[in-house]
């Protein structure tokens, strides 16, 4: 199963992806996680991405498209994957279609977690508090200022991706304000799982 999960930062994509990974036995491909790994490893891509990510801005399309193009060729993606955080611009969505075409692959579903914006800032605050309570390191972009930029970036560049898929009749919307288990149940129902 090849899936795309769309939704603003804090919508619950990571939580639902983890559950889908368990159920479907396919990997979650999070461009955010891959970029953070590149930053931690100090690779050329990481060096280029760090300041943009910390500020809540997008890294250039060609960088993330290249990462995904290569990652999908790895053997663990043979039965599918869950894309989390990609595509984030209409250009990325178009590039995704092209690279899948080239590989003879197709998406099975594009799911959007729809969440009331007012809830997102509160969720970010809670995530930071939970992370600190667990003695773990808080993401450099999980602060009110970067979070606001991430929401602005989402509105300007990523919301059009939902419209892009909706226009092609490919988008399935899910109420992301429901309790976590109910969101999972709604996704399962849509996927017929
Ligand atoms: P969140 O789920 O909270 O929005 P992510 O972990 O998905 O955060 O992404 C963190 C940051 O990594 C983004 O703010 C952006 O700088 C960068 N990033 C991740 N995915 C992409 C992408 N597809 N295109 C451009 N930048 C990306």
């Amino acid at each position: 199963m090849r899936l795309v999960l769309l939704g603003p930062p804090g919508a619950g994509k990571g939580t639902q992806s983890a559950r889908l990974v368990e159920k479907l036995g396919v990997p979650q491909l999070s461009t955010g996680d891959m970029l953070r790994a590149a930053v931690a490893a100090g690779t050329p891509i990481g060096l280029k991405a760090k300041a943009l990510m910390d500020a809540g801005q997008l890294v250039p399309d060609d960088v993330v498209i290249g990462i995904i193009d290569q990652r999908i060729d790895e053997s663990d993606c043979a039965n599918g994957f869950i894309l989390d955080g990609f595509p984030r611009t209409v250009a990325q969505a178009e590039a995704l279609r092209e690279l899948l075409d080239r590989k003879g692959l197709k998406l099975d579903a594009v799911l959007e977690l729809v969440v009331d914006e007012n809830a997102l800032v509160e969720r970010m605050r809670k995530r930071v508090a939970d992370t600190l309570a667990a003695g773990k390191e808080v993401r450099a972009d999980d602060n009110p200022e970067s979070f606001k930029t991430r929401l602005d970036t989402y509105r300007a560049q990523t919301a059009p991706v939902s419209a892009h898929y909706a226009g092609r009749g490919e988008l399935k919307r899910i109420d992301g304000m429901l309790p976590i288990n109910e969101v999972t149940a709604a996704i399962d129902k849509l996927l017929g799982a």
Side-chain angles (χ1 to χ4, degrees), residues 95-107:
L96 175 63
R97 185 175 310 275
E98 277 162 29
L99 70 88
L100 290 177
D101 271 353
R102 169 159 44 81
K103 298 178 201 290
L105 302 173
K106 268 181 65 176
L107 290 176

Side-chain angles (χ1 to χ4, degrees), residues 119-131 144 147:
L120 298 175
V121 176
E122 197 38 53
R123 284 189 185 185
M124 188 273 296
R125 286 214 177 89
K126 186 173 180 308
R127 179 156 82 183
V128 170
D130 291 349
T131 305
F147 194 77

Side-chain angles (χ1 to χ4, degrees), residues 72-93:
I72 286 175
D73 289 338
E74 286 177 35
S75 59
D76 63 334
C77 294
N79 293 322
F81 47 77
I82 299 153
L83 288 174
D84 164 6
F86 180 93
R88 240 179 172 89
T89 63
V90 172
Q92 290 178 21

Side-chain angles (χ1 to χ4, degrees), residues 130-150:
D130 291 349
T131 305
L132 288 172
K136 295 195 201 132
E137 202 177 327
V138 174
R139 268 170 53 173
D141 60 349
D142 266 347
N143 61 74
E145 204 176 314
S146 297
F147 194 77
K148 189 183 169 300
T149 307
R150 280 156 66 199

Side-chain angles (χ1 to χ4, degrees), residues 8-10 13 30-33 35-36 52-53 56-61 64 84-88 92 127 139 141 150:
K13 299 189 297 292
S30 157
T31 40
D33 286 349
L35 290 167
R36 277 186 289 278
L52 291 166
M53 292 176 72
Q57 292 166 12
L58 296 184
V59 306
D61 286 338
V64 283
D84 164 6
F86 180 93
R88 240 179 172 89
Q92 290 178 21
R127 179 156 82 183
R139 268 170 53 173
D141 60 349
R150 280 156 66 199

